Amino acid sequence: MTQDDDKRAAADAAVGEVQRDMLVGLGSGSTVRFAIEALGRRVADGLRVTAVATSIDSAERAAALGIVVRDFAEVARVDLTIDGADEIDDRLWAIKGAGGAMLREKIVAAASTRMVVIADASKRVAAIGAARLPIEVLPFARAYAVDRLAMVDATVTVRNGVTDNGNIVLDARFAAFPDARWLAEALDATPGVLGHGLFLDEVDATYVADRGVVTRLERVDLNG
């Protein structure tokens, strides 16, 4: 089994949750591409659904497979969102945003009745924090945001290019990862920071594939 085989297995399992007439949120990244392909096959077989996408790339891929993609600006609620992660732990805390779409991903997640993350086993960790933390910042606030992150012992790299929203991405790494909730609150309170890759409450379930075996973990099970 290859890593792509596991990505495909996790994606197929999650797409199994899609039901007729759902409005489906499509995330971004290499694993989600397999989910878009799986959903495209179901649509070709007659499943009637519509979708919104968290990136231009995902929207184009979905439309090319015959999936009706709506403009999220006209959507208030999403039934089910399927997305990937850079890291996810057993609390269903995740770091996302390697592809730079974390702001749109978080907005769509917030609008979703249910959000599931799909991943291969390499993304499952004991505790999040080893991966770089992407932060979307208004270009006007670049130096200020970098300085604020340095104050909490983050090493910051500014990515080349801009997001689909026309903003920049800062990648922050920490020698010792701070308390995740404190960090999320601090970033949310920083003027000029528009979004970040900490997903602490959004994920309802995860499908993780390891050598072809898919395991599902539900937040409801964690909370008793």
Side-chain angles (χ1 to χ4, degrees):
M1 300 291 294
T2 67
Q3 188 178 42
D4 278 353
D5 290 330
D6 278 341
K7 290 179 179 182
R8 184 178 292 106
D12 288 347
V15 170
E17 292 197 19
V18 178
Q19 299 178 21
R20 183 179 178 87
D21 293 326
M22 273 189 168
L23 176 55
V24 182
L26 301 173
S28 306
S30 61
T31 308
V32 173
R33 290 171 191 164
F34 291 110
I36 294 171
E37 291 173 2
L39 184 60
R41 291 193 294 271
R42 291 193 62 190
V43 167
D45 288 339
L47 179 67
R48 188 175 67 192
V49 296
T50 54
V52 294
T54 63
S55 67
I56 294 171
D57 178 74
S58 290
E60 291 176 345
R61 288 176 182 274
L65 293 173
I67 301 168
V68 176
V69 180
R70 297 179 59 185
D71 180 357
F72 182 75
E74 300 174 353
V75 170
R77 296 297 305 166
V78 176
D79 295 307
L80 170 69
T81 287
I82 301 171
D83 209 342
D86 307 321
E87 289 184 339
I88 189 161
D89 64 24
D90 288 345
R91 297 167 294 185
L92 296 185
W93 288 10
I95 288 180
K96 295 173 44 54
M102 60 280 176
L103 177 55
R104 292 191 183 194
E105 289 169 349
K106 188 163 288 186
I107 294 168
V108 172
S112 299
T113 301
R114 178 172 169 83
M115 178 188 182
V116 299
V117 160
I118 52 177
D120 64 88
S122 70
K123 304 299 174 58
R124 188 169 184 176
V125 296
I128 61 170
R132 61 186 181 180
L133 176 63
I135 302 161
E136 185 160 344
V137 173
L138 192 70
F140 180 77
R142 175 181 55 82
Y144 171 72
V146 169
D147 182 68
R148 295 285 292 182
L149 285 162
M151 292 173 64
V152 293
D153 295 325
T155 300
V156 179
T157 303
V158 182
R159 287 194 203 177
N160 293 325
V162 297
T163 68
D164 287 348
N165 308 310
N167 300 309
I168 61 173
V169 175
L170 309 181
D171 286 316
R173 292 189 181 274
F174 300 83
F177 196 71
D179 176 81
R181 289 206 178 275
W182 173 86
L183 181 58
E185 290 173 3
L187 290 170
D188 290 338
T190 302
V193 170
L194 303 174
H196 55 79
L198 286 170
F199 283 62
L200 306 182
D201 298 303
E202 290 82 2
V203 181
D204 295 294
T206 182
Y207 289 86
V208 178
D210 186 3
R211 289 171 289 184
V213 177
V214 179
T215 301
R216 186 184 72 188
L217 181 63
E218 291 276 349
R219 184 176 292 275
V220 66
D221 295 332
L222 299 178
N223 295 333

